[in-house]
Amino acid sequence: MRATTVNVHLLTTAILLLTACGSEEPREQPPAAKVTEPAVAEAREIADAVYRNGRIYTVNEAQLWAEAVAIKDGKLLVVGSNADVDATAGESTRVVELGGKFVMPGIVDMHAHPFTGVDMGIGGVNLTAPGDPEAILADIRQFVAEHPDRDVFLGGNWNIGGMFVNDSPDKKVLDEIAPDVPVFLLSQSGHSAWVNSKALELAGVDDTVDNVGSYIFDRYEGTNEPSGTVRDNGMVLIMNALHYLAPEDFAPFLEMEIERYSRYGVTAIQPAEGSITWLLGAALLEQEGRLDVRLFPALDWLTSQLRALDDEESLAFIDDWKSYQTELIRPHYVKIFGDGGADSHTVLMKEPFADSPGNVGSMFRPFEDYREAILHYHSKGITVHVHVLGDGTAARIIDIFEEAEATYPDSEGVLHLSHNQSTDHEDLDRLAALKKATASFSPMLAVGHPQMDLFLKTPLGEERHQQVFPVKAAIEKGITVGFGSDFPSSLVPEPNSFFYMEGWVTRQMPGTDEYGTVNADQAIGVDQAIRGFTLGGAEALGAGYSDQFGSIEAGKSADLIVLDRNLLEIPVTEIHATKVERTVFRGKVVFDRVEAIEALDVVEIQITNADLDNAVDAADLDLLVEAEFGGGGRNSIGIDHTVGAGARSAPDEVNGAFASLSGQGYRFARPARSVYWKNTGSTYWIQWTVKDDAAVLWAYDPEPGKAVQVLRVKEK
Ligand SMILES: [Zn+2]
């Protein structure tokens, strides 16, 4: 993708130079204009690019549909008919025929974790089989062996839920692999980490340090010696002591992570997190013209457990946000955790939990801490982005919002309430009455799914579970609403907003109806789902950003995406499988599916039922495929069930599931049903269930001469 990006960039530069230096009159200008108008001031504006013959859904209510757009200097020059944009075309204009394709604004992801995604994913040890201790150790061993110059090993994704005694893995196991370099492995829930002795030593955590409040270190039984599992704010102490990757080391990983977002049409992200290293790494990319997204980081306040600064430094860093501002990075936000999660009873509820009689839980910190912080930031015009799940927490935070708005009526800051799992209708009314309040919802927990039931139905009980995420009510009450993927806290292993759009519309797990619906009364229309992931997000960010992007309107940034289907015409249960064909960010093509596919050295192996001698029932057949990659570069492997139609789905998608590998480590979360894989050394295993008569296994390794070799295919 780098090569493509550079080419487009050069092309754009060339066009700009031509436009600037060209002394010729625009050819199509009527002669009369030459005589009566001064040529310099009135020269016809020539577009850099035009996109014609599309079904362009603008999300601009004044002109909801258009046929074509013209782009100049990264902005939309004209939005209208083919004839309108043709009037802006000159010799240098790149003309793209859309052939009736559906186009919409770029996705604005209001709540995601691209930075953690780097540390715990492609930049660190990503545990491929989170519930298998042997596989976890194999992953760590391999990563350590392949990265001898790292001065810290970050990573994670291990499974809480019985794999280790008391969910408390032992430091000694890690010490054997990495005795001299600190190791920090985050659990799937994000509230625990497994560390080695070196990490504890650097943080000064030994048997003289007691647990205080949420600074928790597990101990060997009968002693005070820390055993290697740290909880909640205990993680902050460890992270403080570890060297993060330097910004220049972090930048290339961030670029890979952002590419994942570009593939799903995301052109603006609010990272619900922000540290100095991350911001400087992103700024390096921007300086080199390689940051293909806008970032609105909400900087880590005292409740962020993965922050790399201590309390005093964190507060100074947030107040100093202007030093880190660039054209594309706007960090005038602060992330505050109001509470934790319902499953761990670390949220404040108005009524007791269903599985813990008499217990209403609590917020993360004393009310007065939140009050002081929110008033402080609002007085300075810094937007607070507050993580709120419990209805009790929401009510208390809205109390503070009311006071903040009354005290500082002219503040430019937004009072943002994020997630809103159980915020009730009364409190939504109070939120709606505020001038500066906005809200976002993250859909992962809003659909039926056994794992989500554990998180929500068990602690809340059936009735309250069917009241979660009142999205429709929030919109109807006039609250400005945006949506966030919360990736990589996500049901799908990609920042795929289309998956979640479908969830908002059906309130059931996309791709299946077997898990039932969750609060179906609050289902919204496809148009509202699109709006929340585009213009709604830009509005919720505040600061007038919705005048700059979020819809397809003349004068706004040319952030738009071309899709393989018309979201407003297809059955709603097909929205999740939407593929982005092209992502345009500030007029530049930052993702092109066709080019991405054609650039690959693809090896295909066709497996049909005829090949499977003993196949009894193809619908239930499990296969194991062992494949070896050449190493280096970015590899992917997957299966395409559409064989026979002559179509090859994009290499990164498997019935909506995704698998990718990189030379640096890789990420794969188990999709709903079809694929599972694990690696052993440089060999990758893939296993799936054949659903149709035939399937194609594909795999690619983009390095020439290092094509993937599939070693064997066998029945399980
Ligand atoms: Zn989050």
Side-chain angles (χ1 to χ4, degrees), residues 293-306:
V293 72
R294 286 169 217 281
L295 295 173
F296 301 88
L299 307 182
D300 289 338
W301 187 61
L302 307 181
T303 41
S304 295
Q305 294 153 351
L306 295 178

Side-chain angles (χ1 to χ4, degrees), residues 389-408:
L389 294 186
D391 53 0
T393 312
R396 303 307 314 269
I397 296 294
I398 294 170
D399 288 345
I400 304 172
F401 281 5
E402 288 176 340
E403 183 181 352
E405 190 158 295
T407 313
Y408 305 105

